[in-house]
Amino acid sequence: MTADIEQIMFRVRHENVETIVRTRQGAYRSLMQLLNDTIFLDDFGQCGGTGRCGTCLVEVEWADGVSHPKERNEESTLGNLCKSHPFMRLACQIDIDLRLQNARVRISQEELL
């Protein structure tokens, strides 16, 4: 079945609580939107997804172990935040696709900033 292939499951850790998130490929424009809709984060993604504010900073442990390419304004914004770790990302710049399958996402602005 095609529907099973498109289903995506990954774990999100925020404030010492781990949540399993289930979604479908393309259901949201970005990880930032999905997290805001499912976890209801305060002050997360203040620029609305342009990749310029850095308030949607997350650490992603990809299941395949590969740091996926950063796009758009993300490299510049992460550089301004002095975040050069390859797994630090802006959630607004991460598409909801099969690369998220079995990933682990950590949200903690206090620890990451």
Side-chain angles (χ1 to χ4, degrees):
M1 286 186 167
T2 305
D4 291 337
I5 293 172
E6 295 178 352
Q7 185 172 352
I8 300 166
M9 189 274 307
F10 58 97
R11 297 177 186 280
V12 177
R13 185 159 191 83
H14 177 63
E15 296 181 348
N16 294 318
V17 174
E18 188 169 272
T19 304
I20 295 175
V21 175
R22 288 182 171 83
T23 189
R24 297 211 177 273
Q25 186 166 331
Y28 290 86
R29 186 179 62 79
S30 70
L31 180 60
M32 179 197 74
Q33 288 181 328
L34 183 144
L35 294 174
N36 273 327
D37 197 39
T38 57
I39 300 178
F40 311 106
L41 303 164
D42 292 330
D43 301 321
F44 190 78
Q46 292 177 352
C47 69
T50 63
R52 296 179 187 253
C53 71
T55 59
C56 66
L57 184 67
V58 295
E59 182 177 4
V60 181
E61 182 182 321
W62 304 97
D64 62 9
V66 175
S67 176
H68 296 279
K70 295 174 178 75
E71 299 176 14
R72 302 181 278 244
N73 298 318
E74 188 172 13
E75 280 286 355
S76 174
T77 300
L78 290 172
N80 291 339
L81 294 170
C82 300
K83 299 297 179 186
S84 61
H85 188 281
F87 297 109
M88 300 304 278
R89 297 294 305 267
L90 300 178
C92 68
Q93 303 297 296
I94 299 174
D95 294 328
I96 303 301
D97 61 28
L98 294 175
R99 292 180 292 183
L100 277 173
Q101 182 68 18
N102 297 318
R104 292 182 181 271
V105 177
R106 185 170 65 107
I107 308 165
S108 178
Q109 282 79 20
E110 299 79 31
E111 293 176 28
L112 298 177
L113 290 176

